[in-house]
Amino acid sequence: MSHQVLARKWRPRNFVDVVGQEHVVRALANALDTGRIHHAYLFTGTRGVGKTTLARILAKALNCLGTDGKSGMTATPCGVCQSCKDIDAGRFIDLLEVDAATNTKVDEMRELLETAQYAPVSGRYKVYIIDEVHMLSKSAFNAMLKTLEEPPAHVEFILATTDPQKLPITVLSRCLQFNLKNLSPTLLAGHLAHILQTEKIPFEQPALEMIGRAGEGSARDALSLLDQAIAYGAGEVKTDQVATMLGVLDQTYLFSMLSCLANVDAKGLLAEISSLGERNVSFELTLKDLASLLARVALVQSAGADAVEGPDAARIAGVAAQLSADDVQLFYQIALLGRRDLALAPDERSGFTMTLLRMLAFKRGEVGNKGSDIGAQMPPVTGTYKTPSSNAPQTRAPESTSAELTPSKAALDKAFQALPCETPASTGVSASGLVEFDGDWPAFVLRQNFTGIASMLAKQVEFRSFAGGVLELGLADAHKHLADKAYQEKLKAALIPQLGENLRLAIKIGAAAGIASGENVSNSVASQQDRARNLEHTAAEAAIEQDPFIKNLKQDFGAEINRASIRPSSPSASITAN
């Protein structure tokens, strides 16, 4: 067979020829030039981005003897020495290339690694290239761990995989990992143009751009499609022929459809769809290309005309000026959903047509310009409410608002007036900067910025006396665990800036003063706050009970109020100090 496919003929033979992986090439070249060679490399990336190619070039660089046969390893292998020739031809005895997809068992891995202990026959290094390494079994991975971690000095491992997530972390930690990037359509188109110019094959640039997009980041896929296009065009690469071969359309039709959408031109849009049907293009790929074009339009709208490159940049900028940003986002989302649901349509053409008509419908209705979700908003429900009771006349229930379900301000004010110490006495500041404590402990506590344990203890105690620098406080038996010495020291430290350095704190455990005197009330801040919450909740319950609408529901339907679910709309659970 005299013909060699382009993917093999144009496989790079040195680092300079590698396309789109400059970050990996630079690291490997510097390592070779400085002699800092790792014993295990891992190349990851999707299909056709150069993993195996880079592995072979690295093997060649490690074993190159130079044109004089005496040179050491180099980042620019000569390609003419015996080692370079044998590696290019695939017959270098010290290069063992293994397909892990067909050699998954532990016995096969052990047999391979047994040869690692022997010195290379003709090269400088014995290189093991294990492709699709993620296909190895767990036992096979375990068998290679020790050799992979501490191989002989003459052994190099180069692993390649499209799915690094499946590799055990024990393998990943032993390798120097390089992630290879997908190639952009523009880069692929330029690479294909260089190849065709060298091969002296006529071509049209738009055709190469279509092949670059269809390659989806893979150089091998793009070269295979280029081979097919050359055969389809009888030695030429023409735009129309490539579009027919791929079942896609060039960007002209996409721009025409977007123009019809921008101008709300239904007839023009249907004419474009009919033209696509006559050309027998793939509607699924058309939606994909349309979404891709809309994404580029969004980039121009967000970051300016310089955000996109290529011959269509000016036309994309024109579309960006025609459509609003909301329209572009809406059309993009509809294109994605339409592509997903295309298989559910009666046929591809009707599904494609309905997708574009959906874009047109929302553009005409300006739903996208409002930034709302796809779908109509329900109008407010109006009408007359009537009770279905057979014993009562049909009457309209009075309108009720959320304000009517909330206790009135007068009711709450009346409830809070019953609380002791609710309006704290004024507390002055002495000439020394210390607070003149007047005995109103709750008001004093609420004015301070206590935090943590100090705040918790201050709110649970009640004032007993303050004389001679001694502050005596009472603490209920239920909270006696807060009388811990460390907790008291926290509270004392917080009180010293207000009451002076000579402050001494004395906390007595026992019943509250009010409870001990038979009043069944505690004057601690926490107790006052609890009573405030209870009164507020009671007022809220009373307001709901008296609401006319609630009364009608109870009377006509036997409704019951779930009191545990009642929450005052403006809770005043904490006492505020003026």
Side-chain angles (χ1 to χ4, degrees):
M1 183 182 297
S2 59
H3 175 71
Q4 191 176 26
V5 298
L6 293 176
R8 294 185 60 189
K9 183 178 180 180
W10 285 88
R11 170 171 272 179
R13 298 287 193 270
N14 51 61
F15 289 125
V16 177
D17 296 334
V18 176
V19 178
Q21 309 298 345
E22 289 78 10
H23 62 297
V24 179
V25 169
R26 180 178 179 179
L28 294 177
N30 289 339
L32 289 164
D33 289 339
T34 59
R36 299 180 65 86
I37 300 299
H38 200 274
H39 62 269
Y41 292 89
L42 174 64
F43 296 141
T44 67
T46 57
R47 70 200 185 283
V49 293
K51 300 184 295 297
T52 306
T53 295
L54 279 171
R56 291 176 181 174
I57 296 173
L58 179 58
K60 190 192 302 184
L62 291 170
N63 289 287
C64 179
L65 302 175
T67 54
D68 57 358
K70 298 179 181 179
S71 300
M73 60 183 181
T74 175
T76 56
C78 65
V80 297
C81 69
Q82 192 61 42
S83 295
C84 290
K85 289 181 179 179
D86 288 346
I87 291 175
D88 287 337
R91 59 173 181 264
F92 190 62
I93 193 170
D94 291 320
L95 175 60
L96 291 86
E97 191 167 340
V98 181
D99 178 19
T102 56
N103 297 273
T104 61
K105 298 180 181 179
V106 61
D107 293 337
E108 294 165 338
M109 181 55 61
R110 286 172 179 166
E111 183 179 348
L112 177 69
L113 295 177
E114 282 178 0
T115 63
Q117 58 184 314
Y118 303 111
V121 177
S122 59
R124 188 178 297 109
Y125 288 94
K126 180 173 287 188
V127 181
Y128 292 86
I129 298 178
I130 305 179
D131 201 8
E132 298 300 336
V133 68
H134 67 273
M135 300 291 288
L136 291 177
S137 65
K138 182 178 180 180
S139 300
F141 276 123
N142 292 334
M144 70 182 296
L145 285 180
K146 188 60 178 177
T147 307
L148 188 63
E149 183 177 15
E150 298 178 356
H154 57 268
V155 170
E156 285 288 332
F157 285 99
I158 307 177
L159 313 181
T161 178
T162 56
D163 197 356
Q165 288 78 15
K166 292 184 178 180
L167 295 184
I169 190 64
T170 50
V171 172
L172 293 174
S173 64
R174 288 167 167 81
C175 299
L176 201 61
Q177 183 173 343
F178 292 97
N179 299 312
L180 277 65
K181 301 182 296 186
N182 282 5
L183 307 183
S184 68
T186 302
L187 185 62
L188 284 175
H191 183 53
L192 298 182
H194 168 69
I195 291 174
L196 291 177
Q197 289 170 353
T198 306
E199 296 282 340
K200 297 181 180 180
I201 297 174
F203 67 92
E204 294 178 355
Q205 188 62 30
L208 300 187
E209 292 171 4
M210 282 192 283
I211 294 176
R213 289 193 299 271
E216 296 183 340
S218 170
R220 183 172 61 237
D221 287 5
L223 287 171
S224 298
L225 290 173
L226 183 60
D227 254 329
Q228 184 180 349
I230 294 172
Y232 188 86
E236 296 181 338
V237 182
K238 300 294 185 181
T239 302
D240 293 341
Q241 295 170 348
V242 170
T244 303
M245 179 193 79
L246 296 176
V248 298
L249 69 165
D250 58 16
Q251 298 290 299
T252 302
Y253 288 89
L254 297 178
F255 284 111
S256 298
M257 286 188 288
L258 288 180
S259 179
C260 292
L261 289 171
N263 297 321
V264 197
D265 183 5
K267 291 183 178 180
L269 188 62
L270 292 175
E272 293 292 341
I273 295 173
S274 297
S275 178
L276 295 179
E278 292 171 1
R279 297 182 61 195
N280 197 30
V281 300
S282 168
F283 290 106
E284 190 269 339
L285 289 177
T286 302
L287 281 176
K288 176 184 176 183
D289 289 342
L290 183 60
S292 177
L293 178 58
L294 288 168
R296 298 175 73 192
V297 171
L299 283 177
V300 171
Q301 290 178 333
S302 301
D306 296 336
V308 297
E309 300 176 350
D312 292 329
R315 300 181 71 181
I316 292 174
V319 174
Q322 274 187 299
L323 295 171
S324 69
D326 291 340
D327 283 336
V328 172
Q329 295 295 331
L330 179 67
F331 293 167
Y332 178 79
Q333 188 67 23
I334 292 176
L336 294 183
L337 296 176
R339 186 183 176 200
R340 183 196 68 183
D341 297 339
L342 207 58
L344 303 177
D347 57 82
E348 271 203 355
R349 178 167 176 171
S350 62
F352 179 80
T353 302
M354 288 300 296
T355 299
L356 292 189
L357 290 179
R358 190 178 303 123
M359 296 180 187
L360 190 66
F362 284 113
K363 178 66 173 70
R364 180 183 286 126
E366 296 185 351
V367 176
N369 294 332
K370 296 178 183 179
S372 59
D373 293 332
I374 297 175
Q377 296 182 353
M378 292 182 62
V381 179
T382 58
T384 301
Y385 169 77
K386 296 184 179 180
T387 61
S389 172
S390 59
N391 298 325
Q394 301 293 327
T395 59
R396 178 178 178 179
E399 295 182 357
S400 176
T401 64
S402 59
E404 293 175 342
L405 301 181
T406 306
S408 66
K409 184 177 185 300
L412 288 177
D413 291 342
K414 184 177 179 180
F416 280 103
Q417 286 173 1
L419 293 176
C421 302
E422 195 60 31
T423 305
S426 60
T427 304
V429 178
S430 66
S432 62
L434 300 179
V435 174
E436 295 179 353
F437 181 58
D438 60 357
D440 192 345
W441 178 255
F444 172 78
V445 170
L446 292 173
R447 277 192 296 269
Q448 309 309 315
N449 192 25
F450 293 155
T451 60
I453 294 298
S455 174
M456 183 185 303
L457 181 55
K459 289 181 180 180
Q460 291 295 343
V461 297
E462 63 174 15
F463 176 72
R464 296 285 178 86
S465 64
F466 183 39
V470 178
L471 176 63
E472 183 176 333
L473 302 173
L475 184 64
D477 289 330
H479 303 291
K480 61 182 180 181
H481 60 282
L482 295 177
D484 184 87
K485 184 177 180 181
Y487 292 0
Q488 293 189 43
E489 291 297 329
K490 292 280 186 181
L491 179 57
K492 180 180 177 181
L495 291 171
I496 284 177
Q498 286 78 28
L499 303 181
E501 291 288 342
N502 297 326
L503 176 69
R504 287 183 294 167
L505 193 62
I507 297 181
K508 306 297 183 181
I509 308 298
I515 296 176
S517 62
E519 297 178 6
N520 197 29
V521 64
S522 172
N523 287 327
S524 68
V525 176
S527 297
Q528 291 191 15
Q529 288 177 336
D530 288 342
R531 292 197 296 275
R533 280 190 290 266
N534 292 335
L535 286 173
E536 190 174 43
H537 195 275
T538 301
E541 287 185 358
I544 291 176
E545 286 278 5
Q546 298 303 318
D547 183 86
F549 180 67
I550 300 297
K551 288 182 176 180
N552 283 343
L553 288 178
K554 293 173 66 176
Q555 176 182 349
D556 297 337
F557 299 104
E560 294 182 359
I561 298 175
N562 183 3
R563 300 183 183 278
S565 67
I566 296 176
R567 298 290 185 273
S569 60
S570 301
S572 303
S574 61
I575 306 171
T576 56
N578 297 323

